[in-house]
Amino acid sequence: MHRILFRWLLGAVPVVFAVTVLTFVLTSLVPGDPGRTILGANASPAQVRALDAQLGLDHPLPVRYWDWLASALHGDLGDSVTSGVPVSDQLTSRLGVTLSLIGGAVLVAAVAGVALGVLSALKGGLLGRVVDGISLVGLAVPNFWFGLLLMSAFAVRLPVFPVSGYVPLTDSPTQWFESLVLPVLTLGVPATAPVAKQTRDGVLDQLGRDYVRVLRARGVPERSVVLRHVLRNAAAPIVTVLGVVVVTLFGGTVLAETLFVLPGLGGLAVTAAQTQDIPMVQGVALVFTVTVTLINLLIEVVYTMLDPKVRT
Amino acid sequence: MKTPTARRTASGTARTHPRRDSARRGFVARLLRKPTAAGSAGYLLLVVLVTVPAGPLAPYSPDGQDLTAALQGPSGAHWLGTGELGRDVLSRLLHGGQVTLLGVVITLAAYLLLGVPAGMVAGYRGGFFDRLVLRTADLVSAVPVIIVLLVVLSVFTGDESAAMAANGLLGAPLLARVVRSATLGVKEELYVRAAVAGGIRDRVIIRRHVLPRVTGVVLVQASVYGAYAVLLETGLGFLGLGTTEASWGSMIAEASKNIGTDPWLLVPSGFMITSFVLALGLLSDGLRDTLAERYAAPARKPPSRRRGGGLRGAASQPVRGQVPGTAGVFEEPDTEALLSVRGLTVSLPIEGTPTDVIRDVSFDLRAGEVLGIVGETGCGKTITATSLLGMLPADGRIASGSVLFEGADLAGADAATLRRVRGRRIGWISQDPVSGLDPSFTAGAQVAEVVRLHTGCTRKEARQRALELFAKVRLPDPARIAVSYPHQLSGGMAQRVGIAAALAGEPALVIADEPTTALDVTVQAEILDLLRELRSAGTSVVLITHDWGVLADLCDRAVVMYAGEVVEEAEVTDLVTAPAHPYTAGLLRSDPHHAVPGEPLPAVEGAVPPPPQWPVGCHFQNRCPRVSEACRAKPVVISQLAELERSTRCIRPLELIGGPAHD
């Protein structure tokens, strides 16, 4: 376990460092003067200089990065340029929305993907081709368009779910659930495809192994052969695929949260980019990157627990 | 004077690479022979051909307004209907394609220009640069791409080209990683090593030899990444972060605003994006398949398939019609026997044609006896053994015959009956002990599972019983073995665990499929000792082997199989001292145990024919030193030798019964 943690830190720290440096360097390229942008055209040069100094913009780039990093480590990511609210407050209040969206989508992708994959491996033939077809189309359909189709069908044509908006879990669990159904399906259904494909390939591969024949020869019922033994051995690569799915889902939240007007991190990133709210963009990039590396750690731990060769 | 020289050089270079050129032409031709790949390539070309000249081609200006005709469905004037402000959807779709295509081109340019050279150099040179490329690829794969693009777009507001270029740069290390491993493969090939030894400069080698070979892999990756770029570009357009011009993504954003009033608007833009990405995906699949064929080509079409086609059609059909009945010695099942097999014929689809793989197999096994099944690889020994348990490969079936075991016919039994017999009445010991165990469970858990299954006891009792079984198969330190995983066991220990599992249901019969083949010689003897103990305890054994020593040591009777048929059946001592079938005699002569030092080991010439190529008459005719016309005329029936407890499938059995075994 210590080895995993050490290896993870070895990978995660450079990633976080690289992304923050990259965003910092990129944002320093913003044309124009931030002080001027904030204060408007009518401010005097002295006022602009004063604000620049207050923002620390008169220091060289490495010093500014170091200052930012030092405060970031203390939980201070600066204030939003547009609203003046501390960036970290905004991020924490919105993280929950994004995590429930991604959690739901991963659940859908895992459950539906594994079920479809196992079914198509066992039944083969037509169902196998259907899964193939769905995975191909699933990868080709833009998820924002798929979300619009869902919205058009289940919110406009049949008003079962709200078109947009978010209700916190603490306000009303049922409304919270309803407000998440369409966004979760928007992200989760297309993500089912790679999981189903990996499950089918993995199960088919395992079914051809010697131990399966031996288990059958010992009279172990087929249900137990598939669900207990085959699926268990096919699980590790499925978990890896799920990890990749989660990372792409983070990208997907940017679109899905904008589409369904959810107050999450993805939507925040878009508005911040549109309004050139640099501290906010940096903060979102940091949180996304840290979360992704944490998920990679989780995947690594689960993977290790699943594979006795790695564990023992 | 200059022209001829120039021409000579030109033709000279052309001649140095004729094979590569033809291979490349062949690659495109083979790719386009696949209907889906060709269709996808055609579709992509069509989209490019109509979007690039969108200006003159589109019926309206992309921003031309007609407020009287806003948000209308398809009509004669507007084939795909109109959007907000009455703008023509078809025209906007054509113009919008330019934006997306430009984005894809920018992404791919950055992706390829950085990724391909970096990958080739990393693979070819290795060292620090190689580690740098790999490390960067690891790093990039953990970065949420879209967030970086949002950062880029917040800096270069509305500059989609910058975002798409950044996207290409972020993908390049991943491409480099793939190109690198392809390069590593090429680097080891003889002609490249020869070029290196010949002192040709690295730059030239990379361009001349490595680049052509990695092109296929690069094309596959590029089409996948191109598809990804389309989705990303339209996503940015949808978010309104890209250009303000008409684009496929912004058209979907427009549709989303009018979703309540005009859902049709979703269709043209969504179809456009999906079909374009789908075509790229199908093209990359086609590229990948073509690439795989290129190196596997010789193996895919063995010459025998074509030559044997007519032969098989002529030979196998009539033979299947002339399956000899269970006439001869084996008329009725022996009800005294524990296991009595009669006329067992198993059929599998081979290249689509159902083909017999074992035919008319009959033998008996009395309680407490050990029966050996011998023969070369490919004679049907394992198929015979597995079909006793009703376990056939996919789509295989028992075409005829019976397997009478403890009074019930297993050949026609349903799944539930078979499951009650498997493990509980008949135990199975597999050939490869380690791969016969589930790698994810401890040895103890696997044996306990079988114990519980067959006795219905509690988990605790099952664990206890597993330990007893481990002690019974003489595993040292049963408690430690019980918590070990298969990869922690040696072959011999794994085989003991396998035997313990086979004994868990206290079966009356154990089938062992070459139980010692995969083991060291010293371990072999110990496993054979265990089987001998089983026999002393009254358990019957069917032992598949190709080792005459094992056979003579352990078995009471033996069945010799050749090309799917039983060719001889006798007591082991009779069989070994006086074989009646020429195949048995040949096998015995080639037994390494009887090798004379300094002399070549006599082998039976030729190879076992695969089932589709079984001849009409005796299956052994083409390898038999005593073959006659009669042997080729019609199938040979197995028949009892006069007054002896043995039978053979030969019209001219060796007249050596009771005499010396060698000519």
Side-chain angles (χ1 to χ4, degrees):
Chain A
M1 215 46 162
H2 291 291
R3 266 221 315 273
I4 298 175
L5 207 63
F6 181 71
R7 221 174 41 217
W8 171 74
L9 275 175
L10 222 58
V13 171
V15 168
V16 174
F17 185 72
V19 170
T20 52
V21 168
L22 188 69
T23 51
F24 216 85
V25 172
L26 276 173
T27 49
S28 74
L29 298 176
V30 176
D33 188 324
R36 172 70 65 194
T37 314
I38 296 167
L39 293 173
N42 296 327
S44 72
Q47 283 175 305
V48 172
R49 262 198 308 279
L51 185 65
D52 280 354
Q54 189 197 327
L55 292 172
L57 292 172
D58 48 350
H59 296 299
L61 193 63
V63 175
R64 267 151 55 200
Y65 177 72
W66 178 253
D67 289 344
W68 179 84
L69 190 65
S71 352
L73 288 175
H74 291 97
D76 176 12
L77 293 167
D79 296 336
S80 161
V81 175
T82 46
S83 65
V85 181
V87 169
S88 49
D89 290 2
Q90 285 264 27
L91 294 178
T92 41
S93 71
R94 284 169 172 253
L95 185 61
V97 180
T98 299
L99 287 184
S100 27
L101 177 58
I102 287 179
V106 170
L107 200 66
V108 168
V111 172
V114 169
L116 263 179
V118 169
L119 268 179
S120 80
L122 295 183
K123 304 288 174 203
L126 187 67
L127 194 64
R129 282 200 295 281
V130 169
V131 169
D132 267 354
I134 290 176
S135 3
L136 205 65
V137 176
L139 293 175
V141 172
N143 56 16
F144 50 96
W145 185 66
F146 179 65
L148 278 168
L149 288 188
L150 286 178
M151 190 193 274
S152 167
F154 300 108
V156 178
R157 198 65 61 81
L158 302 168
V160 190
F161 300 107
V163 176
S164 62
Y166 178 78
V167 179
L169 177 63
T170 44
D171 288 8
S172 159
T174 48
Q175 285 184 19
W176 170 79
F177 182 77
E178 282 170 2
S179 67
L180 275 176
V181 169
L182 292 184
V184 160
L185 289 179
T186 298
L187 292 180
V189 170
T192 304
V195 180
K197 203 162 160 48
Q198 176 58 48
T199 306
R200 182 164 64 108
D201 293 352
V203 166
L204 279 178
D205 169 48
Q206 293 293 330
L207 280 174
R209 299 284 176 106
D210 262 7
Y211 74 86
V212 169
R213 201 161 64 130
V214 174
L215 285 171
R216 286 177 179 153
R218 288 180 194 151
V220 175
E222 197 61 22
R223 186 166 29 86
S224 174
V225 169
V226 172
L227 296 182
R228 188 174 146 86
H229 295 276
V230 165
L231 209 51
R232 176 75 169 69
N233 281 294
I238 299 176
V239 169
T240 309
V241 168
L242 273 176
V244 176
V245 163
V246 177
V247 175
T248 55
L249 283 179
F250 267 93
T253 59
V254 169
L255 294 155
E257 288 177 9
T258 307
L259 178 59
F260 289 96
V261 200
L262 299 181
L265 290 177
L268 182 65
V270 174
T271 38
Q274 280 164 341
T275 55
Q276 287 198 295
D277 189 346
I278 302 298
M280 191 63 90
V281 170
Q282 285 171 338
V284 176
L286 178 69
V287 171
F288 263 55
T289 312
V290 169
T291 317
V292 167
T293 53
L294 281 175
I295 286 165
N296 285 341
L297 171 67
L298 186 71
I299 299 296
E300 187 84 351
V301 169
V302 173
Y303 194 94
T304 311
M305 287 193 319
L306 282 174
D307 191 348
K309 279 186 199 162
V310 183
R311 184 181 47 203
T312 50
Chain B
M1 275 315 283
K2 257 185 180 174
T3 330
T5 329
R7 196 187 298 149
R8 201 183 306 142
T9 335
S11 67
T13 29
R15 214 177 299 137
T16 46
H17 297 300
R19 273 189 55 208
R20 198 204 294 155
D21 285 351
S22 73
R24 202 179 295 160
R25 262 202 305 281
F27 184 80
V28 174
R30 273 204 308 278
L31 176 71
L32 294 181
R33 228 175 285 143
K34 297 183 200 313
T36 31
S40 306
Y43 179 74
L44 293 171
L45 191 68
L46 180 75
V47 172
V48 172
L49 285 182
V50 298
T51 46
V52 172
L57 210 62
Y60 298 88
S61 152
D63 298 314
Q65 301 181 0
D66 178 4
L67 294 176
T68 56
L71 298 175
Q72 287 179 349
S75 64
H78 300 281
W79 289 359
L80 294 177
T82 57
E84 285 173 354
L85 310 173
R87 295 181 297 204
D88 182 57
V89 170
L90 177 62
S91 305
R92 288 175 70 75
L93 212 52
L94 293 178
H95 281 276
Q98 293 181 340
V99 176
T100 304
L101 287 181
L102 180 67
V104 173
V105 168
I106 292 173
T107 291
L108 287 183
Y111 182 68
L112 295 172
L113 288 178
L114 184 64
V116 174
M120 289 197 301
V121 172
Y124 189 80
R125 289 265 173 80
F128 171 75
F129 187 70
D130 187 29
R131 286 197 299 278
L132 182 72
V133 164
L134 289 180
R135 197 76 195 81
T136 317
D138 282 349
L139 201 144
V140 162
S141 61
V143 170
V145 174
I146 197 148
I147 283 297
V148 176
L149 297 193
L150 287 181
V151 174
V152 171
L153 281 168
S154 67
V155 176
F156 306 97
T157 321
D159 189 351
E160 204 181 279
S161 306
M164 295 314 285
N167 181 39
L169 294 180
L170 282 174
L174 303 172
L175 174 66
R177 185 160 62 185
V178 175
V179 171
R180 169 197 175 264
S181 48
T183 305
L184 282 179
V186 181
K187 192 182 158 190
E188 290 310 311
E189 296 213 2
L190 278 178
Y191 69 91
V192 176
R193 299 227 305 253
V196 175
I200 297 177
R201 270 182 308 174
D202 286 354
R203 199 148 30 99
V204 178
I205 294 177
I206 289 180
R207 206 177 55 233
R208 283 251 185 90
H209 299 296
V210 179
L211 187 59
R213 283 288 298 275
V214 300
T215 305
V217 182
V218 169
L219 283 176
V220 172
Q221 297 296 318
S223 55
V224 171
Y225 208 72
Y228 174 68
V230 172
L231 290 175
L232 200 77
E233 192 282 327
T234 53
L236 293 177
F238 169 74
L239 291 173
L241 288 168
T243 108
T244 47
E245 295 167 43
S247 77
W248 292 349
S250 70
M251 289 179 74
I252 291 190
E254 183 183 335
S256 83
K257 272 184 261 163
N258 300 292
I259 194 162
T261 48
D262 189 10
W264 161 257
L265 261 187
L266 269 178
V267 178
S269 47
F271 172 80
M272 203 61 228
I273 300 172
T274 307
S275 61
F276 195 77
V277 175
L278 194 62
L280 274 169
L282 290 172
L283 182 66
S284 78
D285 282 355
L287 283 166
R288 193 174 288 136
D289 291 350
T290 313
L291 206 62
E293 280 165 22
R294 188 176 175 184
Y295 298 108
R300 271 173 67 94
K301 280 185 184 163
S304 66
R305 200 173 135 192
R306 263 188 232 138
R307 269 194 287 119
L311 194 138
R312 195 177 78 225
S316 69
Q317 280 314 111
V319 172
R320 209 174 298 141
Q322 291 173 23
V323 168
T326 47
V329 267
F330 296 108
E331 292 272 347
E332 290 295 311
D334 182 354
T335 47
E336 304 278 292
L338 176 70
L339 173 72
S340 184
V341 179
R342 285 297 174 271
L344 184 65
T345 300
V346 171
S347 161
L348 294 182
I350 297 181
E351 288 174 359
T353 320
T355 312
D356 291 352
V357 289
I358 60 168
R359 187 182 290 164
D360 189 28
V361 170
S362 303
F363 57 82
D364 294 315
L365 173 70
R366 280 183 282 271
E369 235 182 24
V370 178
L371 176 83
I373 302 181
V374 274
E376 286 164 283
T377 305
C379 286
K381 303 184 304 267
T382 298
I383 293 270
T384 305
T386 50
S387 62
L388 297 181
L389 284 169
M391 297 198 316
L392 295 166
D395 302 325
R397 61 184 195 92
I398 294 179
S400 59
S402 64
V403 177
L404 204 65
F405 175 75
E406 294 187 326
D409 182 9
L410 300 183
D414 56 15
T417 312
L418 284 172
R419 211 164 47 236
R420 274 196 300 277
V421 172
R422 290 177 190 164
R424 197 170 305 184
R425 302 306 303 150
I426 304 181
W428 174 269
I429 299 171
S430 70
Q431 181 169 2
D432 187 339
V434 177
S435 70
L437 296 173
D438 183 336
S440 292
F441 289 87
T442 59
Q446 299 194 43
V447 175
E449 181 188 9
V450 192
V451 170
R452 244 168 85 75
L453 185 71
H454 295 306
T455 60
C457 63
T458 66
R459 278 171 202 282
K460 200 176 162 207
E461 287 165 355
R463 274 200 300 275
Q464 191 52 43
R465 176 81 185 120
L467 290 178
E468 289 166 27
L469 284 164
F470 285 160
K472 188 175 173 187
V473 296
R474 276 189 261 116
L475 272 165
D477 200 354
R480 190 178 59 80
I481 299 288
V483 295
S484 299
Y485 285 92
H487 71 274
Q488 298 168 316
L489 301 175
S490 70
M493 289 196 276
Q495 191 58 294
R496 287 170 200 269
V497 172
I499 295 174
L503 299 180
E506 296 178 0
L509 166 66
V510 168
I511 300 174
D513 183 6
E514 306 205 20
T516 58
T517 308
L519 303 177
D520 290 342
V521 180
T522 47
V523 184
Q524 283 185 11
E526 294 167 17
I527 296 293
L528 291 175
D529 281 346
L530 272 180
L531 292 178
R532 198 171 291 121
E533 274 174 35
L534 270 186
R535 174 194 177 185
S536 329
T539 310
S540 308
V541 179
V542 170
L543 177 68
I544 297 170
T545 182
H546 53 241
D547 186 329
W548 285 105
V550 170
L551 192 82
D553 194 20
L554 219 62
C555 299
D556 301 298
R557 297 184 69 80
V559 163
V560 183
M561 286 193 75
Y562 182 76
E565 290 181 336
V566 172
V567 295
E568 183 158 11
E569 194 266 333
E571 278 198 13
V572 167
T573 34
D574 294 344
L575 194 74
V576 174
T577 50
H581 197 282
Y583 177 62
T584 315
L587 264 190
L588 273 170
R589 263 199 303 278
S590 60
D591 176 17
H593 291 113
H594 297 161
V596 182
E599 279 183 32
L601 188 66
V604 188
E605 294 278 324
V608 185
Q613 283 155 28
W614 287 348
V616 176
C618 172
H619 287 183
F620 190 57
Q621 55 180 265
N622 291 330
R623 298 171 76 188
C624 185
R626 299 161 53 84
V627 64
S628 70
E629 274 313 302
C631 300
R632 303 188 196 273
K634 58 180 202 307
V636 183
V637 180
I638 192 160
S639 53
Q640 193 165 3
L641 292 170
E643 294 166 35
L644 290 166
E645 273 275 298
R646 59 188 297 184
S647 49
T648 185
R649 193 184 292 271
C650 185
I651 52 171
R652 307 172 61 201
L654 296 168
E655 301 92 316
L656 302 167
I657 308 303
H662 302 274
D663 279 342

